[in-house]
Short mmCIF file of all heavy atoms in Angstrom, two decimals:
data_model
loop_
_atom_site.label_atom_id
_atom_site.label_comp_id
_atom_site.label_asym_id
_atom_site.label_seq_id
_atom_site.Cartn_x
_atom_site.Cartn_y
_atom_site.Cartn_z
N LYS W 1 -35.70 -12.15 4.56
CA LYS W 1 -35.58 -11.69 3.18
C LYS W 1 -34.48 -12.42 2.43
O LYS W 1 -34.59 -12.67 1.23
CB LYS W 1 -35.34 -10.19 3.15
CG LYS W 1 -36.56 -9.36 3.55
CD LYS W 1 -36.26 -7.88 3.47
CE LYS W 1 -37.49 -7.05 3.84
NZ LYS W 1 -37.21 -5.59 3.78
N ASP W 2 -33.39 -12.77 3.14
CA ASP W 2 -32.32 -13.54 2.50
C ASP W 2 -32.83 -14.91 2.07
O ASP W 2 -32.55 -15.37 0.95
CB ASP W 2 -31.15 -13.71 3.47
CG ASP W 2 -30.31 -12.44 3.60
OD1 ASP W 2 -30.52 -11.53 2.76
OD2 ASP W 2 -29.48 -12.36 4.50
N ALA W 3 -33.58 -15.59 2.96
CA ALA W 3 -34.13 -16.91 2.61
C ALA W 3 -35.11 -16.79 1.45
O ALA W 3 -35.12 -17.64 0.54
CB ALA W 3 -34.80 -17.53 3.83
N LYS W 4 -35.93 -15.75 1.46
CA LYS W 4 -36.90 -15.55 0.37
C LYS W 4 -36.19 -15.25 -0.94
O LYS W 4 -36.57 -15.74 -2.01
CB LYS W 4 -37.84 -14.40 0.73
CG LYS W 4 -38.89 -14.08 -0.33
CD LYS W 4 -39.81 -12.98 0.16
CE LYS W 4 -40.85 -12.60 -0.91
NZ LYS W 4 -40.24 -11.98 -2.09
N TRP W 5 -35.12 -14.46 -0.87
CA TRP W 5 -34.35 -14.14 -2.08
C TRP W 5 -33.71 -15.40 -2.67
O TRP W 5 -33.72 -15.61 -3.89
CB TRP W 5 -33.29 -13.10 -1.76
CG TRP W 5 -32.34 -12.83 -2.89
CD1 TRP W 5 -31.09 -13.32 -3.06
CD2 TRP W 5 -32.59 -12.01 -4.05
NE1 TRP W 5 -30.53 -12.87 -4.22
CE2 TRP W 5 -31.44 -12.05 -4.85
CE3 TRP W 5 -33.68 -11.24 -4.46
CZ2 TRP W 5 -31.34 -11.36 -6.04
CZ3 TRP W 5 -33.57 -10.54 -5.65
CH2 TRP W 5 -32.41 -10.61 -6.43
N ILE W 6 -33.15 -16.26 -1.81
CA ILE W 6 -32.55 -17.51 -2.29
C ILE W 6 -33.61 -18.38 -2.96
O ILE W 6 -33.36 -18.98 -4.02
CB ILE W 6 -31.88 -18.25 -1.11
CG1 ILE W 6 -30.68 -17.44 -0.59
CG2 ILE W 6 -31.42 -19.64 -1.55
CD1 ILE W 6 -30.07 -18.00 0.68
N ALA W 7 -34.79 -18.46 -2.37
CA ALA W 7 -35.88 -19.24 -2.97
C ALA W 7 -36.29 -18.67 -4.31
O ALA W 7 -36.53 -19.42 -5.27
CB ALA W 7 -37.06 -19.30 -2.01
N ASP W 8 -36.38 -17.32 -4.42
CA ASP W 8 -36.78 -16.69 -5.68
C ASP W 8 -35.76 -16.93 -6.78
O ASP W 8 -36.12 -17.20 -7.93
CB ASP W 8 -36.97 -15.18 -5.47
CG ASP W 8 -38.27 -14.85 -4.77
OD1 ASP W 8 -39.23 -15.67 -4.87
OD2 ASP W 8 -38.36 -13.80 -4.10
N VAL W 9 -34.50 -16.83 -6.45
CA VAL W 9 -33.45 -17.07 -7.46
C VAL W 9 -33.41 -18.54 -7.85
O VAL W 9 -33.24 -18.89 -9.02
CB VAL W 9 -32.09 -16.60 -6.91
CG1 VAL W 9 -30.98 -16.91 -7.91
CG2 VAL W 9 -32.11 -15.10 -6.64
N PHE W 10 -33.59 -19.40 -6.85
CA PHE W 10 -33.47 -20.84 -7.11
C PHE W 10 -34.64 -21.38 -7.92
O PHE W 10 -34.45 -22.30 -8.74
CB PHE W 10 -33.37 -21.58 -5.77
CG PHE W 10 -33.24 -23.06 -5.90
CD1 PHE W 10 -32.22 -23.63 -6.63
CD2 PHE W 10 -34.15 -23.91 -5.28
CE1 PHE W 10 -32.10 -25.01 -6.75
CE2 PHE W 10 -34.05 -25.28 -5.38
CZ PHE W 10 -33.02 -25.83 -6.12
N LYS W 11 -35.85 -20.84 -7.73
CA LYS W 11 -37.01 -21.39 -8.44
C LYS W 11 -36.89 -21.20 -9.95
O LYS W 11 -37.50 -21.93 -10.73
CB LYS W 11 -38.30 -20.76 -7.92
CG LYS W 11 -38.51 -19.30 -8.32
CD LYS W 11 -39.80 -18.76 -7.73
CE LYS W 11 -40.01 -17.29 -8.13
NZ LYS W 11 -41.24 -16.73 -7.53
N HIS W 12 -36.09 -20.21 -10.39
CA HIS W 12 -35.84 -20.00 -11.82
C HIS W 12 -34.57 -20.72 -12.29
O HIS W 12 -34.16 -20.53 -13.44
CB HIS W 12 -35.71 -18.51 -12.11
CG HIS W 12 -36.94 -17.72 -11.82
ND1 HIS W 12 -38.12 -17.90 -12.50
CD2 HIS W 12 -37.18 -16.73 -10.90
CE1 HIS W 12 -39.04 -17.06 -12.03
NE2 HIS W 12 -38.50 -16.34 -11.07
N ASP W 13 -33.96 -21.52 -11.41
CA ASP W 13 -32.74 -22.26 -11.74
C ASP W 13 -31.60 -21.32 -12.15
O ASP W 13 -30.89 -21.57 -13.13
CB ASP W 13 -33.01 -23.28 -12.85
CG ASP W 13 -31.92 -24.36 -12.92
OD1 ASP W 13 -31.20 -24.54 -11.92
OD2 ASP W 13 -31.78 -24.99 -13.99
N LEU W 14 -31.43 -20.24 -11.39
CA LEU W 14 -30.38 -19.27 -11.67
C LEU W 14 -29.18 -19.42 -10.75
O LEU W 14 -28.29 -18.57 -10.75
CB LEU W 14 -30.94 -17.85 -11.54
CG LEU W 14 -32.08 -17.48 -12.49
CD1 LEU W 14 -32.58 -16.07 -12.19
CD2 LEU W 14 -31.62 -17.58 -13.94
N VAL W 15 -29.15 -20.50 -9.98
CA VAL W 15 -28.08 -20.71 -9.01
C VAL W 15 -27.19 -21.85 -9.48
O VAL W 15 -27.68 -22.94 -9.82
CB VAL W 15 -28.65 -21.04 -7.61
CG1 VAL W 15 -27.52 -21.26 -6.62
CG2 VAL W 15 -29.56 -19.92 -7.14
N SER W 16 -25.88 -21.60 -9.50
CA SER W 16 -24.92 -22.65 -9.84
C SER W 16 -24.56 -23.42 -8.58
O SER W 16 -24.04 -22.83 -7.62
CB SER W 16 -23.66 -22.04 -10.46
OG SER W 16 -23.96 -21.38 -11.66
N GLY W 17 -24.85 -24.69 -8.56
CA GLY W 17 -24.57 -25.50 -7.38
C GLY W 17 -23.12 -25.95 -7.32
O GLY W 17 -22.46 -26.13 -8.35
N SER W 18 -22.61 -26.12 -6.12
CA SER W 18 -21.26 -26.63 -5.92
C SER W 18 -21.27 -28.15 -6.00
O SER W 18 -22.27 -28.79 -5.72
CB SER W 18 -20.71 -26.17 -4.56
OG SER W 18 -20.72 -24.77 -4.45
N PHE W 19 -20.11 -28.71 -6.37
CA PHE W 19 -19.98 -30.16 -6.44
C PHE W 19 -19.83 -30.72 -5.02
O PHE W 19 -18.89 -30.36 -4.30
CB PHE W 19 -18.77 -30.55 -7.28
CG PHE W 19 -18.34 -31.98 -7.11
CD1 PHE W 19 -19.19 -33.02 -7.43
CD2 PHE W 19 -17.08 -32.29 -6.61
CE1 PHE W 19 -18.81 -34.33 -7.26
CE2 PHE W 19 -16.69 -33.60 -6.43
CZ PHE W 19 -17.55 -34.62 -6.77
N ILE W 20 -20.76 -31.57 -4.62
CA ILE W 20 -20.71 -32.23 -3.31
C ILE W 20 -20.66 -33.73 -3.55
O ILE W 20 -21.63 -34.32 -4.06
CB ILE W 20 -21.94 -31.87 -2.45
CG1 ILE W 20 -22.08 -30.35 -2.32
CG2 ILE W 20 -21.82 -32.52 -1.08
CD1 ILE W 20 -20.94 -29.68 -1.62
N PRO W 21 -19.56 -34.40 -3.21
CA PRO W 21 -19.48 -35.85 -3.44
C PRO W 21 -20.34 -36.62 -2.44
O PRO W 21 -20.87 -36.03 -1.48
CB PRO W 21 -17.98 -36.13 -3.21
CG PRO W 21 -17.52 -35.04 -2.31
CD PRO W 21 -18.35 -33.84 -2.64
N PRO W 22 -20.49 -37.93 -2.63
CA PRO W 22 -21.27 -38.73 -1.68
C PRO W 22 -20.67 -38.70 -0.28
O PRO W 22 -19.53 -38.28 -0.08
CB PRO W 22 -21.21 -40.14 -2.29
CG PRO W 22 -20.90 -39.93 -3.73
CD PRO W 22 -20.06 -38.70 -3.80
N ALA W 23 -21.45 -39.19 0.68
CA ALA W 23 -21.06 -39.08 2.09
C ALA W 23 -19.75 -39.81 2.39
O ALA W 23 -18.90 -39.30 3.13
CB ALA W 23 -22.18 -39.63 2.97
N ASP W 24 -19.56 -41.02 1.82
CA ASP W 24 -18.32 -41.76 2.11
C ASP W 24 -17.10 -41.06 1.52
O ASP W 24 -16.02 -41.06 2.13
CB ASP W 24 -18.43 -43.19 1.59
CG ASP W 24 -18.88 -43.26 0.14
OD1 ASP W 24 -19.26 -42.21 -0.41
OD2 ASP W 24 -18.86 -44.36 -0.45
N ILE W 25 -17.26 -40.45 0.35
CA ILE W 25 -16.15 -39.68 -0.23
C ILE W 25 -15.88 -38.44 0.60
O ILE W 25 -14.71 -38.04 0.79
CB ILE W 25 -16.47 -39.31 -1.69
CG1 ILE W 25 -16.53 -40.55 -2.58
CG2 ILE W 25 -15.43 -38.33 -2.24
CD1 ILE W 25 -15.21 -41.20 -2.84
N ARG W 26 -16.92 -37.82 1.13
CA ARG W 26 -16.72 -36.63 1.97
C ARG W 26 -15.93 -36.97 3.23
O ARG W 26 -15.07 -36.19 3.67
CB ARG W 26 -18.07 -36.02 2.36
CG ARG W 26 -18.84 -35.45 1.20
CD ARG W 26 -19.86 -34.43 1.66
NE ARG W 26 -20.84 -34.96 2.58
CZ ARG W 26 -22.00 -35.49 2.23
NH1 ARG W 26 -22.33 -35.57 0.93
NH2 ARG W 26 -22.86 -35.93 3.13
N GLN W 27 -16.19 -38.14 3.83
CA GLN W 27 -15.43 -38.55 5.01
C GLN W 27 -13.97 -38.82 4.66
O GLN W 27 -13.06 -38.43 5.41
CB GLN W 27 -16.06 -39.81 5.63
CG GLN W 27 -17.48 -39.61 6.13
CD GLN W 27 -17.57 -38.53 7.19
OE1 GLN W 27 -16.67 -38.34 8.00
NE2 GLN W 27 -18.67 -37.79 7.17
N LEU W 28 -13.74 -39.46 3.52
CA LEU W 28 -12.37 -39.70 3.08
C LEU W 28 -11.67 -38.38 2.78
O LEU W 28 -10.49 -38.20 3.13
CB LEU W 28 -12.38 -40.60 1.83
CG LEU W 28 -11.01 -40.94 1.23
CD1 LEU W 28 -10.15 -41.71 2.23
CD2 LEU W 28 -11.18 -41.75 -0.05
N ARG W 29 -12.38 -37.44 2.17
CA ARG W 29 -11.81 -36.13 1.87
C ARG W 29 -11.40 -35.41 3.15
O ARG W 29 -10.32 -34.78 3.21
CB ARG W 29 -12.82 -35.28 1.10
CG ARG W 29 -12.38 -33.86 0.86
CD ARG W 29 -13.53 -33.00 0.35
NE ARG W 29 -13.79 -33.24 -1.06
CZ ARG W 29 -14.66 -32.53 -1.77
NH1 ARG W 29 -15.35 -31.56 -1.19
NH2 ARG W 29 -14.85 -32.79 -3.04
N ASP W 30 -12.22 -35.51 4.20
CA ASP W 30 -11.91 -34.85 5.45
C ASP W 30 -10.63 -35.40 6.07
O ASP W 30 -9.79 -34.65 6.58
CB ASP W 30 -13.08 -35.01 6.42
CG ASP W 30 -12.93 -34.17 7.67
OD1 ASP W 30 -12.80 -32.94 7.54
OD2 ASP W 30 -12.95 -34.74 8.77
N LEU W 31 -10.45 -36.72 6.00
CA LEU W 31 -9.23 -37.35 6.53
C LEU W 31 -8.01 -36.95 5.72
O LEU W 31 -6.94 -36.65 6.29
CB LEU W 31 -9.39 -38.87 6.54
CG LEU W 31 -10.46 -39.46 7.47
CD1 LEU W 31 -10.59 -40.96 7.24
CD2 LEU W 31 -10.15 -39.16 8.93
N VAL W 32 -8.13 -36.95 4.40
CA VAL W 32 -7.00 -36.62 3.53
C VAL W 32 -6.58 -35.17 3.73
O VAL W 32 -5.38 -34.85 3.76
CB VAL W 32 -7.36 -36.90 2.06
CG1 VAL W 32 -6.31 -36.33 1.12
CG2 VAL W 32 -7.49 -38.41 1.83
N ARG W 33 -7.54 -34.28 3.86
CA ARG W 33 -7.20 -32.87 4.07
C ARG W 33 -6.55 -32.65 5.43
O ARG W 33 -5.68 -31.78 5.56
CB ARG W 33 -8.46 -32.01 3.92
CG ARG W 33 -8.94 -31.91 2.48
CD ARG W 33 -10.13 -30.97 2.35
NE ARG W 33 -10.53 -30.81 0.96
CZ ARG W 33 -11.51 -30.03 0.55
NH1 ARG W 33 -12.21 -29.33 1.43
NH2 ARG W 33 -11.81 -29.94 -0.74
N TYR W 34 -6.96 -33.44 6.43
CA TYR W 34 -6.30 -33.33 7.73
C TYR W 34 -4.86 -33.81 7.64
O TYR W 34 -3.97 -33.25 8.29
CB TYR W 34 -7.08 -34.12 8.78
CG TYR W 34 -6.50 -34.00 10.17
CD1 TYR W 34 -6.24 -32.75 10.73
CD2 TYR W 34 -6.19 -35.13 10.92
CE1 TYR W 34 -5.70 -32.63 11.99
CE2 TYR W 34 -5.66 -35.02 12.18
CZ TYR W 34 -5.41 -33.77 12.72
OH TYR W 34 -4.87 -33.66 13.97
N ARG W 35 -4.60 -34.85 6.85
CA ARG W 35 -3.21 -35.30 6.64
C ARG W 35 -2.40 -34.19 5.98
O ARG W 35 -1.22 -33.99 6.32
CB ARG W 35 -3.21 -36.55 5.76
CG ARG W 35 -1.82 -37.06 5.41
CD ARG W 35 -1.88 -38.31 4.54
NE ARG W 35 -0.56 -38.78 4.17
CZ ARG W 35 0.08 -38.41 3.07
NH1 ARG W 35 -0.50 -37.56 2.22
NH2 ARG W 35 1.29 -38.88 2.81
N TRP W 36 -3.00 -33.48 5.04
CA TRP W 36 -2.32 -32.35 4.40
C TRP W 36 -1.97 -31.28 5.43
O TRP W 36 -0.87 -30.69 5.39
CB TRP W 36 -3.22 -31.80 3.30
CG TRP W 36 -2.63 -30.68 2.50
CD1 TRP W 36 -1.70 -30.79 1.50
CD2 TRP W 36 -2.93 -29.28 2.60
NE1 TRP W 36 -1.40 -29.56 0.98
CE2 TRP W 36 -2.14 -28.61 1.64
CE3 TRP W 36 -3.79 -28.55 3.41
CZ2 TRP W 36 -2.20 -27.23 1.48
CZ3 TRP W 36 -3.83 -27.17 3.25
CH2 TRP W 36 -3.05 -26.53 2.29
N LYS W 37 -2.87 -31.02 6.36
CA LYS W 37 -2.60 -30.04 7.42
C LYS W 37 -1.46 -30.51 8.31
O LYS W 37 -0.59 -29.71 8.68
CB LYS W 37 -3.86 -29.84 8.27
CG LYS W 37 -5.03 -29.19 7.55
CD LYS W 37 -4.77 -27.72 7.31
CE LYS W 37 -6.01 -27.05 6.71
NZ LYS W 37 -5.78 -25.62 6.41
N LEU W 38 -1.44 -31.80 8.66
CA LEU W 38 -0.35 -32.32 9.49
C LEU W 38 0.98 -32.19 8.78
O LEU W 38 2.00 -31.87 9.41
CB LEU W 38 -0.62 -33.79 9.85
CG LEU W 38 -1.73 -34.07 10.86
CD1 LEU W 38 -1.84 -35.57 11.11
CD2 LEU W 38 -1.48 -33.34 12.17
N ASN W 39 1.00 -32.43 7.47
CA ASN W 39 2.24 -32.22 6.71
C ASN W 39 2.71 -30.78 6.80
O ASN W 39 3.91 -30.52 6.93
CB ASN W 39 2.03 -32.62 5.25
CG ASN W 39 2.17 -34.10 5.01
OD1 ASN W 39 2.93 -34.77 5.71
ND2 ASN W 39 1.46 -34.62 4.04
N ASN W 40 1.78 -29.85 6.72
CA ASN W 40 2.15 -28.44 6.83
C ASN W 40 2.70 -28.12 8.22
O ASN W 40 3.67 -27.35 8.35
CB ASN W 40 0.93 -27.56 6.55
CG ASN W 40 0.52 -27.59 5.09
OD1 ASN W 40 1.30 -27.99 4.23
ND2 ASN W 40 -0.70 -27.18 4.80
N TYR W 41 2.11 -28.71 9.26
CA TYR W 41 2.62 -28.49 10.61
C TYR W 41 4.04 -29.04 10.75
O TYR W 41 4.91 -28.40 11.37
CB TYR W 41 1.71 -29.17 11.64
CG TYR W 41 0.32 -28.61 11.73
CD1 TYR W 41 -0.76 -29.41 12.12
CD2 TYR W 41 0.06 -27.27 11.43
CE1 TYR W 41 -2.04 -28.89 12.21
CE2 TYR W 41 -1.22 -26.76 11.51
CZ TYR W 41 -2.26 -27.56 11.90
OH TYR W 41 -3.53 -27.04 11.98
N ILE W 42 4.28 -30.22 10.17
CA ILE W 42 5.61 -30.83 10.25
C ILE W 42 6.64 -29.96 9.52
O ILE W 42 7.75 -29.74 10.02
CB ILE W 42 5.59 -32.26 9.68
CG1 ILE W 42 4.74 -33.17 10.57
CG2 ILE W 42 7.00 -32.83 9.55
CD1 ILE W 42 4.47 -34.54 9.99
#
């Protein structure tokens, strides 16, 4: 029912999508965020 509900809402374009950058930017983002975590550990 959850999957059906998502399909019903989506077919009317009532869902706001999140910003997802391209794959290479996503990999760079993952590395940069890990550096931020290391800074917090330090």
Side-chain angles (χ1 to χ4, degrees):
K1 289 181 179 180
D2 284 348
K4 180 177 178 293
W5 173 260
I6 294 172
D8 283 335
V9 177
F10 180 57
K11 72 182 180 182
H12 298 295
D13 198 20
L14 298 177
V15 180
S16 297
S18 302
F19 165 61
I20 305 297
D24 50 352
I25 293 289
R26 294 202 300 270
Q27 297 302 325
L28 180 61
R29 174 192 283 186
D30 189 57
L31 295 174
V32 169
R33 289 184 176 182
Y34 183 52
R35 177 180 178 269
W36 183 77
K37 294 287 186 182
L38 288 181
N39 277 330
N40 290 342
Y41 295 151
I42 293 171

